């Protein structure tokens, strides 16, 4: 019988996050690539909406605005993202994938797609779909 701690959503979410992170890091390293899950999410978001600024990127990937700058800085240093002065706000910097960023994302996408099943490997396909639906509901903005 599980103790109370093992039935707490926060504890289980933290453990699932640890599993997700470990699987992601192992599969990306095996690829071999050098991306974190947050860097992958940033590249993916920028591929879908080029030109957004750091604040928009942070909101899009649900990442802390205070630390997104470090993520972007690392992607720029790796040559995967370029910054440019925004055409609409001279104080802001728009972000775009470089050709190397597009290539890195194209290489990482199939790896990341494949590893998703491994994160939830203890669940049937139906259970995994139900989990995803419930998790999306849980993280949706509350009115």
């Amino acid at each position: 019988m599980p103790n109370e701690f093992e039935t707490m959503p926060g504890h289980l979410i933290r453990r699932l996050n640890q599993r997700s992170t470990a699987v992601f890091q192992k599969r990306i390293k095996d690829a071999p690539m050098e991306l974190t899950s947050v860097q992958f999410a940033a590249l993916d978001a920028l591929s879908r909406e080029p030109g957004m600024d750091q604040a928009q990127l942070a909101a899009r990937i649900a990442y802390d605005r205070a630390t997104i700058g470090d993520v972007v800085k690392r992607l720029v240093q790796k040559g995967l993202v370029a910054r440019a002065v925004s055409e609409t706000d001279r104080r802001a910097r728009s972000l775009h994938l470089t050709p190397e960023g597009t290539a890195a994302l194209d290489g990482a996408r199939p790896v990341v797609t494949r590893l998703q099943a491994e994160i939830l490997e203890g669940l049937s396909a139906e259970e995994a779909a139900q989990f995803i639906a419930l998790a999306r509901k849980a993280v949706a903005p509350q009115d």
Side-chain angles (χ1 to χ4, degrees), residues 15-58:
R15 290 191 55 206
L16 187 57
N17 181 60
Q18 288 174 321
R19 177 178 179 78
S20 174
T21 300
V23 168
F24 184 94
Q25 289 173 341
K26 177 161 182 21
R27 295 298 167 233
I28 287 292
K29 183 180 178 185
D30 291 349
M33 297 176 193
E34 291 186 29
L35 283 178
T36 66
S37 59
V38 173
Q39 289 172 345
F40 173 81
L43 293 176
D44 184 63
L46 289 172
S47 76
R48 296 172 195 277
E49 296 179 57
M52 69 174 90
D53 64 25
Q54 286 184 187
Q56 293 166 323
L57 177 60

